[in-house]
C-alpha cells in the first residue's frame, strides 16, 4: 500500500511541472540600445550556458509592458527587472518569481537609490513648469520614484509637470545634458557616470532592493529554476570579478517578499505628457 | 628489359606528376587572374568608400571649425580645472549632439574629441567615458596632436576598432586638441554591398587591435572568428553583419570549406591579399582576403568578401579535362614504349631463335648427311611433300632442286618391293599406327639404293589422316658393309664347333655350317620345309629345357630360355642319325628382334656327369642303389605313392648262409652271387621300384603297394625266382624276407626296423621264406 501511494505521489508530483528547456529566452532591460544590454549580461549568460548546457536567446523588448506580455504569452523565460517592474509583474502574473538579486559593482551593494539629476549650468526654478525626463513607466527610478522624490524633496507634483519617457536612464540623463529637459530621474549609479559631463544629483531616495532575475515558472521546471539559482549564487567571487561586465559584483537569492515595501499605490501614466 | 619497363613506368609516373603540377600551376595562374580582378574590385571599392568618408569627415571637420562656440569650449577646456571641465564636456555635448546624430546617418559610429595630450574630452558615442589617455594606444591621435597633421586609416580603439579620420583642432593657430570621426565596419559593409555586391563582407580583426585593445568591459563585443582563433569579429549579437553571416548556411559552409583548404592558415598569417576558390554544390565561389593595414602600416584586419564566381567551375572542369587528356597521352605513350620494348625483346628472341634454328637446321642437315638419314613430311590435305636436304641427297639430286611428288616417289620404289611397301602404308593408315619398312628404290641413273623408311600418320579430331611424317634412312652402304662383314664373319662362324643361328625365335635367318652338318640339311629353306623353328628339334629329356607344344610357345622359347640361369640353359636335340646330343645355349641380341644363338655340344661332358651321378647313388659292385640314393629319394618316393593312394612297402631280404659262400668259394664267388642276385631282382621288380644294397648281403626294395598281402606276394615271388636260379659255382642259394608297409605318419626308419624284425623271424624260423 505504501509503495502504491509512493508511486501515485511520484506520478502526480510530476504533473504540471514544465520540462527542462534547452533554449531559454532571456529578456534583458528594456532599452533601445541592445549592445549595452549584451555587454551587461553576456558574461552571465555565457556562464549559465556553459554551466547548465543550455542556450540563452536574447529577447529585446522596448518596454516593461512588452516584458509583462512576454511572461503572459510565455515567450520569456527569464527577465532582468528592476524592483518596480518586478512588483508590477508579480501583481499581474503570479508565476513570475525573483530568484537572485544582483550586487552593483560600483556601489558594492545589493540595494540602490534613485536620484534626481540636472545639468549644473541649468537653473532649477520650481515655480516654473519643469520638464522631466523619465526612464520607462515601469522603471523604479522612473515616474514612480521621481514623483516621490519631487514630492518629498521639493514638494512638486510630477503629474503637474511636463514629463517624457526617454526609455532608459542614460537617455533620460542625456536628454537633460542635451538641454531638452531640466531634470532626469535615474538610478544613482548611472547618474554618477554623467557627473563628468556636468550632471549633478539634487535628490536621493532611500535604499531599495536591486535588480533581480525573474523566472517564469510556467515555462521553466522547478528543477531548472533551482539549477539556475544554484548556479548563480554558487559562483565564486573570483569568477564574477573576471566578468567583463562592470555593474555586477555578486548575486544572492531573493524572493518576492523582499520587494513588498515597493507595493504602494502609485498611479503611473504609461505615456509622457510631452513628446 | 625489366629495368627498361620499370624505368618507363617511373618516368611515366614522374611525367604524370609533373604534368599534374604544371596543370595545377597553369590553373592557378588563370584562377589568380580571375581572383586578382576580384581583389582589385574590392580594393577599389574599399578605397572609394574610405576616401569618400574622408571627404565626408573633412567636410564635417571644416563645418566644426566654423563653430566658434565649440572652439571656445575647447579653448576653455584646455585650461580649465577638472570641475570646470565636466561642465565644459556637458556644454560640448549639448553643442554637438545634433551634429553626431547627423554623422550617425552617414554610418559614423564614433565622434571623439581629444586634448592636446591625447586624453579624451568627449566621446559623443559614449559621453560618460572620458578622461582616458589615448596617446600611447592610438597612433592617429598621437600624430594629430604631435605632428599636427590629419591622419586617417584603420585602427583599434578602446571602444571599437574602426576606420579613423583624425584632425588636429586649431583656433587662431592655437592647438586645442583633436577630433576623430570613426566608421563602423557595418557602415563600410553597407557601402561595399552598394558598390560591389557580394554574398557577404566580413571583417576579421587581429587580436591586438581588437580584443587586447578595447576597455576590458568591452571585450565581450568580440568573439573568435570561425576562420582562425587568433582573429576576432564583432559579436553576432552586436554586429548585424556577423549575425547575418552566422545565420547563413551557405556562408557557414563556405567558411568551413575555406578553413579546410590547404595552406589557408599560413596564407592568412602571411598578411597579404589572397583568395581561396571554393566549389560547393557544383557552384563556384571565391573568398577574397583583403588585408587592411592600420595607421602604423601593420596588418590590423582582413576584409573578407564572399563572391559567386561561376567561372571557377568551368576552369576547374576544363583543367581537369586537360589533365585527363594529358595523362591519357602520357599513358598511351608509355604503353607504346613498353610495347616497343617488348617487341624489341621478342624480335631479338625471334632473331636469336631463327639464328639457332638455322644453326640447328644446318646441324640437322649435317647430321642427316652423316647418318644418311633424311626427314620428310607429306601434307595429305594439300598433297604436298616436303623433303629434307638429305632425302634429296639419297635420291641422288641437288638439295631442294625440285618439288618432290609422292606419286613420283612411289614410282621410284623398286618394282619388286613396291607392292609390299604400299601394303605397309595401307596397314599403318588403317591401324593408325607407325610403320617401318625396308625397300629399294631406283635412282634416275638406274642405281639402286636400299633404304629404311619409318613413318607415322597424324590425324585430325575426326580421325582423318592429315599428315604423314617420317624418316628415310639410306642403308645401302651399311648393308653392303654388313654383307661384306657378314661374309667374313660367316667364314669364322662356319668353322665353329658350335651350332650358330640367327633367329627371331621362329624363322631362321642364318645358320652356320655346323648346323647343316648336324641336322643333315643343305639349306635353311630345306630345313624350314620340315620345321618351323629350331626349337622343334628340342627333345624332351629329363633335366633339359623343353617347350610345350604350342605355337605361342615357339615364339616365346627364347624369352623362356633367357629366364633360366646359364647352367640350366641346356637342350637336347637329335642329330641326323637320331642320336641325342646335349647343348648349352648361349643367346646374344643381334638387333631389336633377332638373336645370335650358340648351341655348344656338351654331350660328352654331360655323359660323364651322368656317370658320376650314377656312381654317387649306386653300389659300385652290384650297381644297385646305395643308402645315399635311399636318403635322397625316400621322402619323394613316399609322396609319389601317397598321390597314387598307395602305401610305401619295404621288402627287407638277405642271402642265407652267405658267409659260407665266401668261406667256401672265395670272395670273388661271393661278389658274383651278390651281382647276380641284384640282376635277378632288378629283372623282376617294377621299374618304379628301387633296389637298394643296404649293406653286405642285405638289400631293401622300396616299392608301392596297396596292402601288406600284395607286398608279401611280391616278396615271395622274388624269393622263388632266386631260389630256383642256378648260380655258377655255388649253384643254389636262398634269401629270407621280412616285409612291412609304411603307415600314415610313421617314420620310414620304423618301417625298415619292423621289416628287419620280420626278416629276423624268417631267419630264425627256417630261412628261405617271407615273413610279413
Amino acid at each position: 500500500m505504501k509503495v502504491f501511494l509512493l508511486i501515485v505521489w511520484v506520478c502526480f508530483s510530476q504533473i504540471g511541472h514544465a520540462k527542462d528547456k534547452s533554449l531559454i529566452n532571456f529578456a534583458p532591460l528594456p532599452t533601445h540600445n541592445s549592445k549595452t544590454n549584451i555587454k551587461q549580461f553576456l558574461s552571465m549568460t555565457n556562464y549559465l550556458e556553459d554551466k547548465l548546457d543550455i542556450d540563452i536567446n536574447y529577447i529585446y523588448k522596448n518596454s516593461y509592458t512588452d516584458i509583462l506580455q512576454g511572461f503572459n504569452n510565455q515567450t520569456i523565460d527569464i527577465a532582468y527587472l528592476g524592483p518596480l517592474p518586478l512588483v508590477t509583474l508579480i501583481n499581474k502574473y503570479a508565476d513570475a518569481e525573483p530568484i537572485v538579486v544582483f550586487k552593483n559593482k560600483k556601489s558594492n551593494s545589493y540595494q540602490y537609490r534613485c536620484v534626481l539629476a540636472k545639468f549644473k549650468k541649468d537653473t532649477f526654478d520650481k515655480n516654473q513648469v519643469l520638464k522631466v525626463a523619465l526612464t520607462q513607466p515601469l522603471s523604479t527610478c522612473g515616474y514612480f520614484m521621481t514623483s516621490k522624490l519631487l514630492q518629498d524633496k521639493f514638494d512638486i507634483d510630477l503629474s503637474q509637470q511636463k514629463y517624457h519617457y526617454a526609455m532608459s536612464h542614460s537617455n533620460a540623463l542625456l536628454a537633460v545634458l542635451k538641454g531638452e529637459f531640466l531634470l532626469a530621474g535615474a538610478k544613482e549609479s548611472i547618474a554618477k557616470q554623467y557627473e563628468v559631463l556636468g550632471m549633478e544629483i539634487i535628490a536621493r531616495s532611500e535604499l531599495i532592493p536591486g535588480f533581480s532575475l525573474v523566472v517564469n515558472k510556467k515555462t521553466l521546471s522547478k528543477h531548472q529554476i533551482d539549477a539556475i539559482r544554484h548556479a548563480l549564487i554558487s559562483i565564486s567571487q573570483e569568477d564574477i570579478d573576471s566578468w567583463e561586465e562592470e555593474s555586477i559584483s555578486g548575486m544572492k537569492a531573493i524572493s518576492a517578499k523582499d520587494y513588498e515595501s515597493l507595493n504602494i499605490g502609485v498611479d503611473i501614466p504609461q505615456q509622457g505628457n510631452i513628446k | 628489359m625489366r629495368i627498361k619497363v620499370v624505368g618507363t613506368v617511373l618516368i611515366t609516373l614522374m611525367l604524370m606528376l609533373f604534368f599534374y603540377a604544371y596543370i595545377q600551376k597553369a590553373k592557378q595562374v588563370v584562377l589568380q587572374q580571375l581572383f586578382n580582378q576580384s581583389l582589385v574590385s574590392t580594393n577599389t571599392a574599399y578605397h572609394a568608400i574610405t576616401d569618400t568618408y574622408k571627404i565626408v569627415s573633412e567636410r564635417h571637420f571644416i563645418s566644426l571649425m566654423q563653430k566658434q562656440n565649440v572652439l571656445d569650449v575647447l579653448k576653455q577646456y584646455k585650461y580649465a580645472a577638472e570641475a570646470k571641465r565636466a561642465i565644459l564636456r556637458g556644454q560640448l555635448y549639448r553643442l554637438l549632439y545634433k551634429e553626431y546624430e547627423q554623422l550617425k546617418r552617414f554610418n559614423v559610429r564614433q565622434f571623439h574629441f581629444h586634448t592636446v595630450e591625447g586624453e579624451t574630452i568627449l566621446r559623443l558615442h559614449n559621453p560618460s567615458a572620458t578622461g582616458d589617455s589615448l596617446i600611447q594606444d592610438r597612433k592617429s591621435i598621437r600624430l594629430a596632436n604631435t605632428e599636427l597633421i590629419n591622419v586617417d586609416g584603420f585602427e583599434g580603439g578602446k571602444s571599437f576598432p574602426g576606420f579613423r579620420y583624425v584632425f588636429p583642432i586649431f583656433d587662431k593657430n592655437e592647438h586645442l586638441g583633436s577630433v576623430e570621426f570613426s566608421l563602423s565596419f557595418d557602415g563600410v559593409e553597407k557601402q561595399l554591398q552598394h558598390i560591389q555586391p557580394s554574398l557577404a563582407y566580413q571583417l576579421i580583426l587581429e587580436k591586438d587591435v581588437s580584443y587586447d585593445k578595447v576597455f576590458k568591459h568591452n571585450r565581450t563585443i568580440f568573439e573568435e572568428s570561425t576562420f582562425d582563433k587568433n582573429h576576432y569579429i564583432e559579436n553576432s549579437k552586436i554586429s548585424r553583419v556577423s549575425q547575418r553571416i552566422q545565420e547563413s548556411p551557405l556562408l557557414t559552409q563556405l567558411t568551413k570549406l575555406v578553413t579546410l583548404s590547404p595552406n589557408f592558415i599560413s596564407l592568412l598569417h602571411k598578411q597579404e591579399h589572397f583568395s581561396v576558390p571554393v566549389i560547393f554544390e557544383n557552384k563556384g565561389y571565391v573568398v577574397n582576403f583583403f588585408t587592411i593595414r592600420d595607421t602604423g602600416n601593420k596588418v590590423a584586419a582582413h576584409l573578407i568578401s564572399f563572391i559567386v564566381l561561376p567561372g571557377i567551375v568551368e576552369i576547374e572542369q576544363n583543367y581537369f579535362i586537360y589533365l585527363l587528356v594529358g595523362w591519357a597521352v602520357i599513358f598511351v605513350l608509355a604503353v607504346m614504349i613498353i610495347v616497343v620494348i617488348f617487341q624489341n625483346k621478342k624480335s631479338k628472341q625471334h632473331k636469336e631463335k631463327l639464328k639457332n634454328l638455322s644453326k640447328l637446321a644446318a646441324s640437322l642437315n649435317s647430321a642427316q648427311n652423316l647418318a644418311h638419314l633424311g626427314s620428310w613430311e607429306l601434307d595429305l590435305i594439300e598433297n604436298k611433300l616436303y623433303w629434307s636436304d638429305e632425302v634429296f641427297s639419297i635420291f641422288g639430286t641437288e638439295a631442294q632442286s625440285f618439288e618432290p611428288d609422292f606419286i613420283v616417289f612411289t614410282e621410284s620404289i623398286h618394282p619388286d618391293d613396291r607392292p609390299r611397301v604400299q601394303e605397309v602404308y595401307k596397314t599403318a593408315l588403317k591401324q593408325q599406327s607407325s610403320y617401318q619398312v625396308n625397300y629399294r628404290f631406283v635412282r634416275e641413273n638406274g642405281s639402286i639404293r636400299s633404304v629404311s623408311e619409318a613413318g607415322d600418320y597424324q590425324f585430325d579430331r575426326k580421325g582423318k589422316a592429315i599428315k604423314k611424317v617420317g624418316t628415310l634412312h639410306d642403308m645401302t652402304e651399311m648393308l653392303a658393309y654388313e654383307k661384306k662383314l657378314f661374309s667374313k664373319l660367316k667364314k669364322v662362324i662356319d668353322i665353329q664347333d658350335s651350332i650358330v643361328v640367327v633367329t627371331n625365335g621362329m624363322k631362321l635367318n642364318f645358320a652356320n655350317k655346323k648346323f647343316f652338318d648336324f641336322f643333315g640339311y643343305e639349306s635353311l629353306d630345306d630345313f624350314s620345309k620340315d620345321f618351323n623353328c629350331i626349337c622343334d628339334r628340342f627333345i624332351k629329356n629329363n633335366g633339359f629345357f623343353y617347350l610345350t607344344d604350342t605355337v605361342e610357345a615357339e615364339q616365346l622359347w627364347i624369352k623362356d630360355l633367357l629366364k633360366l640361369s646359364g647352367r640350366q640353359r641346356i637342350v637336347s636335340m637329335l642329330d641326323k642319325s637320331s642320336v641325342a646330343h646335349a647343348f648349352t645355349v648361349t643367346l646374344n641380341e643381334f638387333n631389336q628382334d633377332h638373336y645370335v644363338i650358340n648351341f655348344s655340344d656338351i654331350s660328352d661332358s654331360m655323359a660323364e656327369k651322368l656317370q658320376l651321378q650314377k656312381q654317387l647313388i649306386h653300389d659300385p659292385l652290384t650297381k644297385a642303389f646305395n643308402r645315399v640314393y635311399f636318403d635322397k629319394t625316400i621322402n619323394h618316393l613316399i609322396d609319389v605313392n601317397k598321390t597314387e593312394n598307395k602305401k610305401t612297402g619295404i621288402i627287407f631280404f638277405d642271402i642265407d648262409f652267405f658267409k659260407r659262400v665266401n668261406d667256401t668259394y672265395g670272395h670273388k664267388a661271393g661278389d658274383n652271387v651278390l651281382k647276380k642276385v641284384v640282376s635277378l631282382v632288378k629283372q623282376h621288380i617294377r621299374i618304379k621300384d628301387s633296389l637298394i644294397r643296404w649293406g653286405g648281403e642285405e638289400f631293401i626294395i622300396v616299392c608301392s603297394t596297396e596292402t601288406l598281402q600284395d607286398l608279401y606276394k611280391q616278396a615271395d615271388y622274388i624269393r622263388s625266382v632266386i631260389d630256383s636260379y642256378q648260380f655258377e659255382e655255388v649253384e643254389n642259394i636262398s634269401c629270407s624276407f621280412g616285409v612291412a608297409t609304411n603307415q600314415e605318419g610313421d617314420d620310414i626308419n620304423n618301417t625298415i626296423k619292423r621289416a628287419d624284425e620280420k626278416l629276423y623271424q624268417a631267419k630264425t624260423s627256417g630261412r628261405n621264406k617271407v615273413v610279413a
Side-chain angles (χ1 to χ4, degrees):
Chain A
M1 187 62 185
K2 283 181 181 176
V3 173
F4 173 75
L5 288 173
L6 180 66
I7 293 169
V8 169
W9 178 80
V10 167
C11 293
F12 278 90
S13 66
Q14 300 302 311
I15 297 172
H17 279 230
K19 202 179 172 183
D20 283 5
K21 290 181 74 176
S22 59
L23 177 66
I24 291 175
N25 294 313
F26 170 60
L29 280 173
T31 171
H32 291 290
N33 190 345
S34 61
K35 285 184 185 177
T36 308
N37 262 331
I38 287 167
K39 276 168 62 181
Q40 194 170 354
F41 298 107
L42 206 58
S43 295
M44 183 191 73
T45 53
N46 284 344
Y47 165 76
L48 285 175
E49 283 179 339
D50 292 344
K51 185 86 176 176
L52 304 178
D53 194 22
I54 52 173
D55 287 324
I56 295 178
N57 179 42
Y58 281 65
I59 303 286
Y60 302 109
K61 298 292 183 187
N62 291 330
S63 69
Y64 288 112
T65 311
D66 293 341
I67 290 176
L68 286 177
Q69 278 183 355
F71 267 81
N72 261 323
N73 60 26
Q74 299 179 15
T75 55
I76 293 174
D77 302 308
I78 303 177
Y80 178 76
L81 292 177
L84 183 63
L86 170 65
V87 172
T88 309
L89 177 65
I90 292 170
N91 288 338
K92 293 182 178 176
Y93 187 72
D95 285 313
E97 181 179 310
I99 55 169
V100 289
V101 63
F102 292 88
K103 184 197 275 186
N104 186 274
K105 190 177 273 182
K106 282 186 179 172
S107 63
N108 195 31
S109 173
Y110 288 101
Q111 296 168 310
Y112 70 99
R113 295 175 199 277
C114 293
V115 297
L116 287 177
K118 66 176 257 303
F119 184 52
K120 277 184 179 175
K121 290 280 278 181
D122 293 340
T123 308
F124 173 35
D125 182 358
K126 69 177 199 177
N127 296 317
Q128 291 182 353
V129 175
L130 302 176
K131 289 178 77 176
V132 183
L134 302 171
T135 55
Q136 292 187 50
L138 284 180
S139 170
T140 313
C141 295
Y143 190 94
F144 176 78
M145 198 54 80
T146 302
S147 66
K148 192 170 185 298
L149 284 171
L150 279 172
Q151 191 65 53
D152 292 351
K153 305 290 183 184
F154 303 105
D155 195 23
I156 297 170
D157 183 0
L158 178 59
S159 63
Q160 300 304 309
Q161 312 303 314
K162 298 292 182 187
Y163 55 87
H164 166 73
Y165 289 113
M167 303 310 290
S168 77
H169 299 268
S170 292
N171 284 348
L173 292 162
L174 284 171
V176 172
L177 209 55
K178 287 174 184 173
E180 293 169 345
F181 291 84
L182 181 67
L183 293 174
K187 201 174 177 182
E188 184 184 31
S189 61
I190 298 172
K192 276 182 168 293
Q193 291 175 22
Y194 287 84
E195 285 178 342
V196 295
L197 291 159
M199 292 293 286
E200 65 175 342
I201 294 167
I202 58 171
R204 283 181 172 82
S205 71
E206 296 297 316
L207 285 169
I208 49 178
F211 281 61
S212 61
L213 272 190
V214 187
V215 297
N216 189 342
K217 290 195 285 186
K218 274 215 164 168
T219 59
L220 297 178
S221 68
K222 184 174 183 302
H223 168 260
Q224 202 159 23
I225 291 167
D226 290 343
I228 293 168
R229 181 192 290 112
H230 182 261
L232 291 172
I233 63 176
S234 64
I235 188 168
S236 68
Q237 190 59 48
E238 192 181 351
D239 286 342
I240 295 175
D241 292 344
S242 70
W243 287 2
E244 288 157 358
E245 201 283 308
E246 277 189 337
S247 65
I248 298 173
S249 63
M251 282 162 282
K252 68 175 185 179
I254 201 168
S255 69
K257 280 184 180 177
D258 298 310
Y259 293 90
E260 277 181 351
S261 63
L262 296 176
N263 205 357
I264 51 175
V266 177
D267 190 17
I268 298 170
Q270 293 302 305
Q271 288 184 335
N273 55 12
I274 55 167
K275 288 189 177 178
Chain B
M1 191 189 75
R2 184 179 290 179
I3 293 170
K4 285 181 180 176
V5 172
V6 171
T8 306
V9 170
L10 286 175
I11 290 167
T12 305
L13 289 174
M14 282 174 67
L15 278 173
M16 289 172 101
L17 207 63
F18 284 137
F19 188 71
Y20 173 77
Y22 169 76
I23 285 290
Q24 288 299 318
K25 184 79 182 168
K27 186 178 74 179
Q28 281 304 321
V29 169
V30 175
L31 284 172
Q32 198 57 52
Q33 287 171 355
L34 210 61
F35 302 155
N36 286 344
Q37 288 172 11
S38 176
L39 280 168
V40 166
S41 301
T42 305
N43 187 32
T44 306
Y46 171 75
H47 283 106
I49 291 161
T50 52
D51 289 349
T52 303
Y53 275 104
K54 191 177 177 180
I55 294 164
V56 170
S57 301
E58 282 172 353
R59 190 168 66 79
H60 278 277
F61 175 67
I62 291 163
S63 166
L64 190 69
M65 290 302 100
Q66 289 170 356
K67 290 178 177 170
Q68 191 55 49
N69 52 359
V70 171
L71 293 173
D72 290 343
V73 169
L74 290 173
K75 194 169 184 177
Q76 287 177 55
Y77 190 92
K78 186 178 177 182
Y79 302 107
E82 178 53 33
K84 174 71 177 169
R85 280 187 167 183
I87 295 167
L88 290 170
R89 283 188 203 107
Q91 285 180 313
L92 190 61
Y93 183 81
R94 189 168 283 183
L95 287 170
L96 292 173
Y97 78 90
K98 285 181 180 168
E99 181 88 11
Y100 178 52
E101 292 301 322
Q102 280 187 354
L103 285 169
K104 282 203 283 188
R105 284 201 288 272
F106 289 103
N107 296 308
V108 173
R109 179 155 59 178
Q110 298 179 50
F111 187 22
H112 193 172
F113 287 87
H114 327 101
T115 67
V116 293
E117 292 85 16
E119 285 180 1
T120 296
I121 299 173
L122 177 66
R123 287 182 172 89
L124 272 295
H125 53 283
N126 187 10
S128 61
T130 183
D132 56 303
S133 175
L134 302 162
I135 200 81
Q136 293 299 323
D137 296 333
R138 297 285 306 280
K139 189 181 177 186
S140 59
I141 294 166
R142 190 166 64 247
L143 288 173
N145 289 291
T146 55
E147 305 288 329
L148 305 176
I149 55 172
N150 297 349
V151 184
D152 63 87
F154 186 84
E155 204 169 56
K158 290 197 172 180
S159 295
F160 299 96
F163 302 86
R164 319 286 186 179
Y165 304 90
V166 185
F167 304 92
I169 301 170
F170 293 92
D171 182 29
K172 300 182 181 75
N173 294 324
E174 184 181 358
H175 179 211
L176 300 178
S178 58
V179 64
E180 171 192 355
F181 304 91
S182 183
L183 279 173
S184 69
F185 175 68
D186 280 21
V188 175
E189 191 266 349
K190 197 186 286 181
Q191 296 302 319
L192 279 169
Q193 287 289 13
H194 183 68
I195 296 172
Q196 189 189 354
S198 77
L199 290 173
Y201 287 98
Q202 188 177 28
L203 190 73
I204 60 169
L205 302 152
E206 296 287 331
K207 189 166 180 274
D208 57 350
V209 299
S210 53
Y211 187 86
D212 292 346
K213 200 149 200 167
V214 295
F215 288 122
K216 198 177 173 188
H217 64 265
N218 269 4
R219 285 181 177 171
T220 50
I221 67 169
F222 297 110
E223 64 182 28
E224 282 181 6
S225 163
T226 47
F227 283 109
D228 175 36
K229 63 179 181 180
N230 289 320
H231 287 79
Y232 284 78
I233 58 168
E234 286 188 352
N235 194 308
S236 58
K237 290 171 180 172
I238 297 169
S239 168
R240 176 181 48 85
V241 173
S242 298
Q243 187 182 6
R244 202 171 62 220
I245 288 170
Q246 284 189 8
E247 286 174 357
S248 164
L250 173 62
L251 295 172
T252 305
Q253 191 60 37
L254 292 180
T255 302
K256 190 179 173 186
L257 291 172
V258 167
T259 57
L260 292 174
S261 70
N263 306 323
F264 167 68
I265 294 296
S266 62
L267 284 169
L268 191 65
H269 291 172
K270 265 189 175 178
Q271 304 192 332
E272 291 172 358
H273 307 318
F274 68 96
S275 304
V276 180
V278 179
I279 295 176
F280 176 60
E281 293 180 344
N282 211 27
K283 285 182 180 173
Y285 303 90
V286 63
V287 182
N288 292 317
F289 289 78
F290 182 78
T291 55
I292 295 177
R293 293 179 181 275
D294 64 9
T295 49
N297 201 32
K298 183 176 172 297
V299 172
H302 285 87
L303 173 62
I304 302 168
S305 57
F306 297 83
I307 294 169
V308 179
L309 210 59
I312 292 175
V313 177
E314 198 179 334
I315 289 166
E316 287 283 353
Q317 285 174 347
N318 287 344
Y319 278 89
F320 183 66
I321 290 166
Y322 300 156
L323 182 68
L324 288 183
V325 170
W327 276 0
V329 169
I330 292 168
F331 181 75
V332 168
L333 282 173
V335 169
M336 285 168 71
I337 289 167
I338 290 169
V339 167
V340 167
I341 289 169
F342 273 102
Q343 286 297 332
N344 278 344
K345 170 82 178 175
K346 270 191 177 177
S347 176
K348 263 188 180 177
Q349 286 176 339
H350 189 63
K351 279 179 185 171
E352 197 64 29
K353 276 182 185 172
L354 278 176
K355 200 174 166 184
N356 290 337
L357 215 57
S358 302
K359 279 183 185 175
L360 274 174
S363 300
L364 188 64
N365 279 336
S366 301
Q368 287 192 352
N369 184 254
L370 280 171
H372 300 296
L373 180 72
S375 58
W376 53 265
E377 187 178 307
L378 175 61
D379 187 333
L380 297 171
I381 305 294
E382 301 285 332
N383 196 25
K384 226 173 178 183
L385 183 62
Y386 166 79
W387 281 354
S388 73
D389 291 353
E390 186 54 26
V391 178
F392 284 96
S393 175
I394 291 168
F395 269 76
T397 57
E398 285 292 318
Q400 311 299 334
S401 55
F402 64 93
E403 192 170 328
D405 181 84
F406 184 67
I407 295 169
V408 174
F409 165 71
T410 49
E411 282 174 354
S412 64
I413 295 172
H414 193 286
D416 292 347
D417 296 343
R418 198 179 301 152
R420 180 170 56 85
V421 172
Q422 284 176 337
E423 188 59 32
V424 169
Y425 288 167
K426 277 182 190 172
T427 306
L429 182 61
K430 192 177 177 184
Q431 294 177 350
Q432 297 193 353
S433 63
S434 59
Y435 65 88
Q436 194 271 327
V437 59
N438 298 338
Y439 57 87
R440 296 161 293 165
F441 72 83
V442 185
R443 283 179 170 176
E444 276 186 358
N445 60 8
S447 63
I448 295 171
R449 306 297 291 181
S450 295
V451 294
S452 174
E453 182 187 323
D456 198 3
Y457 284 93
Q458 292 180 357
F459 302 89
D460 62 11
R461 287 181 183 175
K462 293 175 181 173
K464 185 184 175 186
I466 55 171
K467 196 181 278 185
K468 190 165 80 161
V469 292
T471 57
L472 194 68
H473 189 189
D474 189 346
M475 312 272 286
T476 312
E477 277 77 19
M478 192 179 80
L479 288 175
Y481 176 76
E482 274 184 1
K483 196 174 177 183
K484 196 175 175 183
L485 186 69
F486 193 73
S487 173
K488 286 180 181 175
L489 195 62
K490 190 171 176 295
K491 286 174 185 168
V492 175
I493 294 170
D494 277 346
I495 59 171
Q496 297 291 313
D497 283 338
S498 307
I499 295 169
V500 180
V501 296
V502 176
T503 179
N504 59 0
M506 290 185 72
K507 187 184 175 186
L508 283 167
N509 296 77
F510 169 79
N512 66 349
K513 186 170 182 299
K514 183 71 179 176
F515 173 89
F516 296 109
D517 290 346
F518 184 80
F519 290 114
Y521 283 95
E522 292 293 327
S523 67
L524 286 175
D525 290 340
D526 292 343
F527 182 84
S528 62
K529 284 174 187 169
D530 295 333
F531 302 101
N532 289 325
C533 165
I534 191 171
C535 60
D536 289 343
R537 298 300 303 261
F538 298 165
I539 57 172
K540 190 176 180 181
N541 205 340
N542 194 19
F544 293 88
F545 174 79
Y546 182 72
L547 67 160
T548 51
D549 298 330
T550 60
V551 176
E552 286 77 14
E554 286 181 357
Q555 292 173 328
L556 295 171
W557 69 273
I558 292 177
K559 286 182 181 175
D560 287 343
L561 206 54
L562 282 170
K563 287 176 189 170
L564 299 175
S565 69
R567 290 177 62 191
Q568 291 175 311
R569 290 176 194 164
I570 303 170
V571 297
S572 183
M573 292 187 288
L574 293 172
D575 63 11
K576 58 188 176 189
S577 308
S578 298
V579 176
H581 290 250
F583 297 90
T584 58
V585 185
T586 310
L587 301 105
N588 290 296
E589 201 170 340
F590 178 69
N591 57 31
Q592 195 177 353
D593 302 319
H594 290 76
Y595 289 86
V596 177
I597 304 174
N598 187 309
F599 295 89
S600 298
D601 194 337
I602 56 163
S603 302
D604 294 340
S605 56
M606 193 72 184
E608 284 172 10
K609 186 183 171 188
L610 290 172
Q611 188 59 36
L612 280 172
Q613 283 181 348
K614 210 172 179 180
Q615 285 175 359
L616 193 67
I617 60 173
H618 286 84
D619 173 39
L621 176 66
T622 62
K623 307 302 178 193
F625 291 116
N626 57 17
R627 280 200 175 194
V628 175
Y629 173 81
F630 177 83
D631 292 339
K632 282 186 175 179
T633 59
I634 188 60
N635 289 334
H636 173 68
L637 293 172
I638 291 169
D639 289 342
V640 169
N641 290 334
K642 272 185 188 173
T643 56
E644 292 176 355
N645 290 321
K646 290 185 175 175
K647 293 174 182 173
T648 301
I650 298 293
I651 300 172
F652 206 146
F653 70 95
D654 78 351
I655 301 169
D656 295 333
F657 305 111
F658 184 70
K659 192 173 178 301
R660 284 184 193 172
V661 175
N662 276 333
D663 292 343
T664 308
Y665 301 103
H667 286 284
K668 192 178 179 182
D671 290 346
N672 288 334
V673 169
L674 289 170
K675 286 181 185 174
K676 195 61 197 182
V677 167
V678 167
S679 176
L680 280 171
V681 173
K682 276 187 175 177
Q683 287 171 31
H684 291 91
I685 59 175
R686 293 166 298 190
I687 194 161
K688 58 185 179 182
D689 295 342
S690 302
L691 173 62
I692 298 154
R693 187 182 177 190
W694 202 245
E697 70 277 19
E698 289 178 339
F699 295 90
I700 280 177
I701 301 166
V702 181
C703 51
S704 64
T705 182
E706 289 183 356
T707 62
L708 185 63
Q709 287 75 18
D710 288 344
L711 187 65
Y712 176 86
K713 285 177 185 173
Q714 190 180 350
D716 194 55
Y717 171 67
I718 294 166
R719 185 199 58 76
S720 64
V721 169
I722 296 168
D723 185 52
S724 60
Y725 188 73
Q726 289 291 312
F727 292 87
E728 288 180 5
E729 292 183 53
V730 295
E731 295 184 353
N732 293 309
I733 61 166
S734 63
C735 291
S736 298
F737 293 78
V739 296
T741 54
N742 181 246
Q743 301 302 313
E744 181 77 31
D746 193 12
D747 188 339
I748 192 66
N749 289 318
N750 288 334
T751 309
I752 290 168
K753 191 179 173 185
R754 280 190 280 114
D756 190 22
E757 286 169 359
K758 298 293 180 188
L759 169 62
Y760 180 74
Q761 287 177 21
K763 286 278 186 189
T764 55
S765 62
R767 295 184 173 85
N768 195 22
K769 61 169 64 169
V770 177
V771 175

